[in-house]
Amino acid sequence: MTKHVIIIASGETERRSLPHLVAHLQADDISVDEVRIPPGNRALNVEMIEKLVKATWYARAASPPDKFVVLLDVDGKDPDDILRPFQEQLPRRLSAKIKAAVLFAYAQWHLEAWYFADSTALKDYLGRALGHIDTSKPDEIQNPKLHLRNLLGNRIYTAVISEEIARKLNASTIAQRSPSFCDFLKKIGNGNGAPGNQAE
């Protein structure tokens, strides 16, 4: 039976790009039905996550999701320090009527770091070398979004460009090189958790 998952992320770049990075999970009967983001460029804080979970759950009452996976940027900080407040506070704010698990994953240095993990596909898209960075350790690339913007030259980096790049990437290659992306996929696929609770 297909497992239905909703991703909650911070912005339009994630909303457009993440579906392409997780599309391969359909082969395992895992469907990412939607990527929900805060309206009006608002911050993805505990209150906003609560609102997005509740709104989605009740809007889909006839066919509720099995799981929510919240993707947070930790900006190079210790993921445990960033995720812990969310993991502790959110369950207390959610009604027991919400039966889906809510799991938390992270991008060490934003979504764009994952793009550098598939260096071959990214070079093909950009038509140039990627500079002096270690693409075998994408989670350690500091400020990957700025690096990508510089590589684009005169082209302005937008959510549409991000989606174009994501379409060309191989998720298996990224997962082999990025522990944070691998963990994100695990949370979507096999992560367990009590309703409204964090991941294992």
Side-chain angles (χ1 to χ4, degrees):
M1 191 167 80
T2 301
K3 181 182 293 184
H4 294 275
V5 181
I6 302 293
I7 296 173
I8 294 176
S10 60
E12 184 67 7
T13 297
E14 288 81 2
R15 189 189 70 78
R16 297 186 70 116
S17 304
L18 287 174
H20 304 291
L21 298 180
V22 300
H24 67 287
L25 295 175
Q26 292 177 1
D28 297 322
D29 287 330
I30 299 166
S31 173
V32 173
D33 295 346
E34 188 178 3
V35 178
R36 298 291 311 269
I37 62 173
N41 295 318
R42 295 179 188 171
L44 188 62
N45 54 27
V46 173
E47 181 181 3
M48 180 56 66
I49 294 169
E50 174 193 1
K51 289 179 178 179
L52 291 171
V53 167
K54 288 179 176 178
T56 305
W57 177 264
Y58 291 115
R60 295 170 56 103
S63 56
D66 298 292
K67 177 191 301 186
F68 292 87
V69 176
V70 181
L71 178 65
L72 299 167
D73 292 322
V74 301
D75 295 323
K77 300 180 179 72
D78 185 332
D80 289 338
D81 290 343
I82 303 300
L83 270 57
R84 189 179 300 110
F86 289 89
Q87 294 168 331
E88 292 175 350
Q89 296 173 33
L90 187 66
R92 297 194 295 265
R93 301 175 72 120
L94 294 178
S95 166
K97 294 178 181 178
I98 296 176
K99 305 298 184 185
V102 181
L103 310 184
F104 290 85
Y106 67 94
Q108 189 69 49
W109 282 101
H110 299 282
L111 176 79
E112 288 77 13
W114 294 344
Y115 295 175
F116 286 93
D118 189 353
S119 55
T120 300
L122 185 57
K123 279 190 282 190
D124 288 345
Y125 176 83
L126 295 170
R128 61 183 297 182
L130 302 182
H132 301 292
I133 56 172
D134 187 353
T135 58
S136 69
K137 297 179 180 178
D139 287 359
E140 297 180 12
I141 300 171
Q142 296 187 19
N143 207 338
K145 186 178 293 188
L146 177 61
H147 196 64
L148 183 56
R149 284 174 174 158
N150 291 336
L151 290 170
L152 283 165
N154 293 328
R155 297 176 68 190
I156 298 173
Y157 181 59
T158 64
V160 173
I161 296 293
S162 180
E163 182 179 11
E164 288 178 1
I165 295 170
R167 286 179 186 274
K168 297 181 178 298
L169 302 176
N170 185 303
S172 296
T173 301
I174 300 172
Q176 289 171 7
R177 296 178 175 177
S178 169
S180 66
F181 182 69
C182 186
D183 178 72
F184 174 56
L185 294 181
K186 287 179 180 177
K187 297 291 169 57
I188 293 172
N190 299 316
N192 299 315
N197 207 344
Q198 71 270 19
E200 69 277 353

